[in-house]
Amino acid sequence: MSEKSEKDQNIFQSYLDNIQAKTGKTPADFRLPTAEKGLVKTAEIVNWLKSDFGLGHGHANALALVILSHGQESVSTEDAVATHFKRKKAGWRKPYDELMANVQQCGDDVGVGPAKSSISLLRGDQKFGIVQVSTERLDLGIKLKGVAPTDRLEVAGQWNAMVTHRVRISDPNQIDAEVLAWLKQAYAAA
């Protein structure tokens, strides 16, 4: 396992450890109630975990991933990231990898937390951004409290409440110095 993969796995594990500290339950303790409630979709499980256990969205997503992967081979962070770039989304993998190579330069505590619909950008266990992949674009969510929106840096609004701003990347060349500076600023504030 590479040093980065091991670090990402440690961050993912820290999510699960924090959940256990908060609720007193292991991921295995959540499986039976999830099945009894008939919850089979990530969104259903996340909503239940948030409402009944007060988990944050990222923690609930991490636990939902573990619950849904039960009985399957353990999912590595890299495998979980790879699921975001299947089929028609595959063309965005190289721009994502290049973006992450630049984000990694912010510090040695940069990691990712892949969930079902997005990939969290983490400084330790603090989220400073997200990446959401579609066939047409990468959407970057960035936490920049107090920063005024621009033509490119729009208010996240209803798109995702965990970040303050959104940048729509429809061409890999749009991942430029300005975007990297916003991500660096968000990292520094995390």
Side-chain angles (χ1 to χ4, degrees):
M1 181 183 299
S2 74
E3 186 177 319
K4 181 186 176 323
S5 294
E6 186 174 330
K7 183 171 62 173
D8 290 344
Q9 193 67 36
N10 290 340
I11 291 169
F12 188 81
Q13 185 60 49
S14 73
Y15 269 33
L16 299 179
D17 293 344
N18 289 339
I19 292 166
Q20 186 171 353
K22 180 175 183 158
T23 66
K25 297 179 182 289
T26 67
D29 296 330
F30 286 96
R31 289 189 182 109
L32 182 59
T34 301
E36 289 173 346
K37 292 180 174 291
L39 304 175
V40 295
K41 294 183 179 180
T42 302
E44 297 170 334
I45 296 169
V46 167
N47 288 336
W48 169 62
L49 293 170
K50 288 167 64 174
S51 68
D52 286 18
F53 297 95
L55 297 183
H57 193 79
H59 286 80
N61 264 319
L63 183 54
L65 179 65
V66 171
I67 291 168
L68 290 173
S69 67
H70 178 66
Q72 300 174 4
E73 189 175 311
S74 180
V75 178
S76 72
T77 300
E78 179 53 37
D79 289 343
V81 167
T83 64
H84 290 271
F85 299 95
K86 289 184 176 180
R87 297 178 195 88
K88 293 181 179 181
K89 298 177 184 179
W92 286 107
R93 182 59 197 246
K94 184 177 178 188
Y96 166 81
D97 288 341
E98 291 171 356
L99 169 71
M100 289 310 300
N102 281 296
V103 171
Q104 289 289 330
Q105 294 177 15
C106 289
D108 61 0
D109 58 349
V110 172
V112 296
K116 184 76 171 174
S117 63
S118 64
I119 303 165
S120 296
L121 304 178
L122 305 169
R123 179 178 188 179
D125 63 354
Q126 296 295 313
K127 185 179 303 187
F128 66 91
I130 62 171
V131 178
Q132 191 171 49
V133 187
S134 70
T135 56
E136 301 86 32
R137 67 178 183 263
L138 287 180
D139 283 324
L140 301 178
I142 307 173
K143 281 189 174 182
L144 290 172
K145 291 183 180 175
V147 174
T150 68
D151 289 344
R152 293 184 71 198
L153 185 69
E154 61 188 64
V155 173
Q158 296 287 331
W159 174 70
N160 192 305
M162 294 186 302
V163 294
T164 58
H165 295 79
R166 176 186 191 181
V167 180
R168 299 174 197 234
I169 306 292
S170 57
D171 179 329
N173 292 324
Q174 293 172 326
I175 303 173
D176 58 12
E178 184 175 41
V179 169
L180 296 174
W182 290 324
L183 287 167
K184 186 175 184 176
Q185 183 179 352
Y187 166 85

